[in-house]
């Protein structure tokens, strides 16, 4: 006689003696709360906020660790969140219909994007990838807006950050349209020095993995053109190159070249 197997009821609880995880607050690893609190304290947008308001943001925040080249927000590209870089590098980029990649920016620790997600119904124009192994805090936009509306004076910090970004965008657009290739390359490297540069005995170490392909994608140029321009800067003694590593020997000279008319 064949034994009849009765189907087991679906288990809605992982264990009858363990509490269900709360859905109101993300589950975090030990030490994450302290790390996120420190990250917000020196972030470009939240550093001047009162402690109570930063603590309110942490209630709905979650922290994720991404391997290099992993897409951020891959499961829900249009989720309205701010991305706070704790460590590593966040690449903001897009790909044309012809498959050509354009890198809009590389954001380092202490920076946040996309601030435009504080507006409703604004489509996300770019993709976000971990350019290096990175740690990113995700802040739901609605939670940030709730804190801002409860203390409207904090919107001033959002406005200031937006205006700084606007000024940088205008300067970049002017350099892209009016500047020489040499000027564009120098200005881009000088900007990266400000974000990632670490002063060493031989110069300023650019602590981000930056290939010629990456730099070409940032400037909309061919890799051959980038190779030629970097070679000229090496010959002038302004930079030193090794495998995906760059040391800037004269940052002031790069800034002067980048500011030329």
């Amino acid at each position: 006689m064949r034994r009849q197997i009765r189907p087991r009821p679906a288990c809605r609880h992982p264990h009858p003696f363990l509490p269900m995880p709360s859905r109101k607050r993300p589950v975090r690893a030990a030490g994450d709360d302290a790390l996120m609190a420190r990250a917000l304290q020196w972030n470009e947008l939240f550093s001047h906020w009162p402690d109570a308001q930063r603590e309110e943001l942490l209630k709905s925040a979650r922290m994720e660790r991404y391997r290099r080249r992993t897409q951020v927000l891959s499961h829900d590209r249009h989720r309205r969140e701010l991305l706070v870089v704790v460590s590593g590098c966040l690449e903001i980029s897009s790909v044309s219909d012809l498959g050509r990649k354009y890198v809009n920016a590389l954001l380092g620790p202490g920076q946040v994007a996309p601030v435009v997600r504080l507006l409703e119904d604004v489509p996300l124009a770019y993709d976000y990838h971990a350019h290096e192994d990175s740690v990113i805090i995700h802040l739901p936009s609605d939670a940030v807006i709730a804190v801002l509306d409860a203390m409207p004076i904090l919107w001033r910090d959002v406005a200031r950050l937006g205006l700084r970004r606007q000024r940088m965008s205008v300067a970049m657009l002017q350099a892209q349209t009016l500047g020489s290739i040499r000027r564009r390359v120098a200005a881009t490297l000088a900007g990266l020095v400000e974000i990632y540069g670490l002063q060493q005995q031989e110069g300023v170490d650019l602590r981000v993995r930056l290939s010629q392909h990456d730099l070409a994608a940032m400037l909309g140029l061919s890799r051959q053109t980038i190779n030629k321009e970097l070679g000229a800067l090496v010959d002038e003694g302004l930079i030193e190159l090794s495998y995906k590593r760059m040391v800037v020997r004269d940052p002031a000279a790069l800034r002067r070249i980048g500011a030329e008319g």
Side-chain angles (χ1 to χ4, degrees), residues 37 40-42 46-59 147:
L40 293 187
Q41 281 180 344
W42 48 263
F46 306 112
S47 61
H48 298 295
W49 286 28
D51 292 341
Q53 277 59 48
R54 285 198 299 264
E55 291 172 3
E56 187 65 26
L57 290 180
L58 290 175
K59 292 179 181 179
V147 174

Side-chain angles (χ1 to χ4, degrees), residues 213-224:
H213 178 77
D214 294 328
L215 193 56
M218 295 181 70
L219 292 168
L221 300 170
S222 68
R223 193 181 67 81
Q224 291 77 10

Side-chain angles (χ1 to χ4, degrees), residues 204-229:
V204 179
D205 186 5
L206 201 59
R207 298 173 300 165
V208 61
R209 187 193 298 258
L210 187 69
S211 67
Q212 292 185 13
H213 178 77
D214 294 328
L215 193 56
M218 295 181 70
L219 292 168
L221 300 170
S222 68
R223 193 181 67 81
Q224 291 77 10
T225 300
I226 292 296
N227 181 64
K228 176 182 177 181
E229 294 298 326

Side-chain angles (χ1 to χ4, degrees), residues 40-93:
L40 293 187
Q41 281 180 344
W42 48 263
N43 180 265
E44 59 180 346
L45 177 58
F46 306 112
S47 61
H48 298 295
W49 286 28
D51 292 341
Q53 277 59 48
R54 285 198 299 264
E55 291 172 3
E56 187 65 26
L57 290 180
L58 290 175
K59 292 179 181 179
S60 57
R62 77 180 195 279
M63 189 164 66
E64 303 285 352
R65 292 165 174 83
Y66 295 94
R67 300 291 293 176
R68 178 174 177 263
R69 299 302 188 191
T70 302
Q71 184 173 358
V72 181
L73 298 178
S74 59
H75 298 296
D76 188 356
R77 185 173 178 271
H78 299 288
R79 179 184 293 180
R80 291 181 60 233
E81 290 183 334
L82 299 189
L83 306 174
V84 176
V85 184
V86 180
S87 65
C89 177
L90 182 66
E91 175 188 293
I92 305 175
S93 60

